[in-house]
Amino acid sequence: MAAGPPPSAAPLLLLLAALLLARPPPSLQQAISAADLAALLAVKGSLTDLPGASFFSTWDFAAPDPCSSFAGLTCSLSGRVAVLSLGAGGLSGSPGLAGSLSPSLARLTGLTQLILSPGIVTGPIPPELGRLPELRVLSLTNNRLTGPIPASLAALRGLHTLDLSYNQLAGPIPPRLPALPGLKVLILASNRLFGRVPPVSAALLHLDLRKNLLFGQVPPLPPTLRYLSLSGNAMWGPLSGLASLSELVYLDLSMNRFGGPIPPSLFSTPSLQSMLLQRNNLSGGVPAAGAASDPPSYGPGSVVDLSHNALAGELSTALIGVETLYLNNNRLTGSVPKEYVKSVLQGRTRTLYLQHNYISGFPWDRGMAVPDAAEVCLSYNCMAPPVGLEGCPASAGTQPSRPASQCSAFRGGENPRD
């Protein structure tokens, strides 16, 4: 009888067997297509590693199997390039690439993902990319791409994610691009785009257009949207269209020209953890939280910034438990509800800025102490800050309270300057 392998060799044999089973059968393994290899040669000819990078060091066109040896490359079983990740090749901290994007990328017609890592790649986005029928992810972020967003990208009917953020792209957003039926993530932040925001896809979950030159009103948005950032533009109009966004987690419309009241439903959205509406022209007040079956559960990491608007009236309890709460530089009046003091003392609220309002009362008893990790500012209101609450950031100014003439004029219905 033949002897079996020694016990020490058994784990190695099992590992080899597992590796052999994980590999596709030889009949399914095909060499990379000649057309894709020629396209990759053109792509490499238009790009170069920045000093300290070594992405292209593995791109040896004499290699027998580029699909397994080229960094950033994944091929399908048919030998077509399916994923092309240019630049880092999975290495964190790589300085990336320089050069430009070759129109030959469009010859890789099996591409499902095209990703460009941060670097200093310049020039336009090739309009030919609109001829990639299988493309689902196009991410060309953190480079120096210029020119317009090609309108041809609207032909990518299967596109799921488009990220062109942090470049120098200019011009309007192509009108049909945001409305692609399967588009779920659209990130065009930090460019030089201008004009109005076109209609968006009913499937969209994530929309980030911050830090551009966009104007006009917020377009109709799908109720399933979870992330919305339009900050740092020149947009205007009411926020009434946000009332139906019941699944929002993150909202940033700061530093625009939006006016009118804040929709009460935003104070009753259970999922909303960040609401940044500062530096607009918003009016009305902070409405009470609605009678939702599942009220907001503000907790660690929650941020609400409504500062530098024209919000008036008494503060409701809708924002109890927010960890970082900015309500400064508005026209709030009356006494602050005691629940806010309790939230600070319990350590739930770590930042409470109420300075530069017309508040007349804060239920703070002598002997109370602000927790070490918390910060409360009440300066320049219609009251002297209670003992122990005199510390404020330098931006709050040095005057502890408003002149009495301002407070009496405000109560009398006049509109004094802040």
Side-chain angles (χ1 to χ4, degrees):
M1 185 187 320
S8 60
L12 180 59
L13 291 175
L14 288 173
L15 177 60
L16 290 173
L19 290 174
L20 288 172
L21 289 173
R23 292 171 60 98
S27 59
L28 295 180
Q29 297 182 43
Q30 297 188 25
I32 190 171
S33 74
D36 282 11
L37 195 63
L40 292 174
L41 186 61
V43 169
K44 183 183 179 186
S46 67
L47 295 167
T48 184
D49 283 312
L50 286 169
S54 58
F55 174 76
F56 282 121
S57 63
T58 62
W59 282 40
D60 178 4
F61 285 85
D65 185 11
C67 287
S68 61
S69 61
F70 279 27
L73 203 66
T74 301
C75 296
S76 66
L77 292 177
S78 61
R80 302 304 307 276
V81 177
V83 178
L84 181 57
S85 183
L86 295 165
L91 301 176
S92 61
S94 172
L97 305 175
S100 61
L101 295 175
S102 171
S104 295
L105 286 164
R107 290 153 56 189
L108 301 171
T109 54
L111 269 183
T112 61
Q113 297 183 41
L114 176 57
I115 300 167
L116 176 63
S117 296
I120 57 171
V121 176
T122 60
I125 298 173
E128 291 84 356
L129 295 185
R131 301 203 298 262
L132 292 171
E134 306 297 325
L135 199 63
R136 287 180 50 78
V137 176
L138 179 58
S139 177
L140 310 174
T141 184
N142 279 279
N143 277 274
R144 299 179 184 177
L145 299 173
T146 56
I149 298 174
S152 60
L153 298 185
L156 301 173
R157 305 295 291 175
L159 199 63
H160 174 286
T161 298
L162 177 61
D163 187 352
L164 306 178
S165 59
Y166 294 94
N167 281 289
Q168 299 170 15
L169 301 171
I173 300 173
R176 295 189 296 118
L177 182 59
L180 285 171
L183 192 64
K184 294 186 182 298
V185 178
L186 178 60
I187 307 175
L188 305 176
S190 293
N191 280 288
R192 300 170 183 173
L193 303 172
F194 57 80
R196 297 179 183 270
V197 180
V200 304
S201 167
L204 204 63
L205 300 175
H206 186 117
L207 178 62
D208 188 351
L209 305 178
R210 69 183 184 273
K211 294 184 180 178
N212 279 287
L213 304 171
L214 301 168
F215 56 80
Q217 299 189 24
V218 179
L221 298 169
T224 53
L225 195 69
R226 298 173 188 169
Y227 184 108
L228 175 61
S229 179
L230 301 171
S231 67
N233 283 286
M235 300 184 70
W236 63 74
L239 302 184
S240 53
L242 305 183
S244 63
L245 304 184
S246 59
E247 298 187 22
L248 270 181
V249 176
Y250 183 92
L251 173 65
D252 186 0
L253 304 182
S254 60
M255 294 179 283
N256 278 282
R257 302 171 187 171
F258 293 115
I262 302 171
S265 61
L266 290 180
F267 296 91
S268 305
T269 302
S271 56
L272 191 57
Q273 287 292 295
S274 294
M275 179 165 57
L276 310 176
L277 302 177
Q278 70 269 26
R279 296 187 183 275
N280 279 285
N281 300 316
L282 299 172
S283 56
V286 178
S293 58
D294 188 11
S297 55
Y298 296 113
S302 57
V303 181
V304 174
D305 192 342
L306 308 180
S307 65
H308 295 273
N309 279 290
L311 302 177
E314 296 191 7
L315 179 60
S316 77
T317 58
L319 298 171
I320 298 298
V322 175
E323 183 176 294
T324 303
L325 179 57
Y326 300 105
L327 296 169
N328 53 287
N329 294 82
N330 278 288
R331 297 175 181 178
L332 299 174
T333 59
S335 182
V336 175
K338 63 181 182 299
E339 289 87 350
Y340 287 94
V341 173
K342 183 178 179 180
S343 186
V344 170
L345 295 175
Q346 291 176 339
R348 296 170 61 199
T349 297
R350 294 175 178 267
T351 301
L352 179 60
Y353 278 9
L354 295 166
Q355 68 268 24
H356 285 259
N357 279 285
Y358 294 83
I359 291 170
S360 56
F362 191 78
W364 188 264
D365 296 333
R366 185 178 295 274
M368 288 181 175
V370 178
D372 291 340
E375 188 174 13
V376 178
C377 183
L378 284 162
S379 67
Y380 212 62
N381 275 286
C382 294
M383 54 174 280
V387 175
L389 296 178
E390 299 90 348
C392 282
S395 60
T398 57
Q399 292 181 275
S401 58
R402 284 186 179 276
S405 58
Q406 287 190 10
C407 295
S408 59
F410 191 78
R411 285 193 296 269
E414 297 181 24
N415 191 17
R417 291 186 176 181
D418 290 337

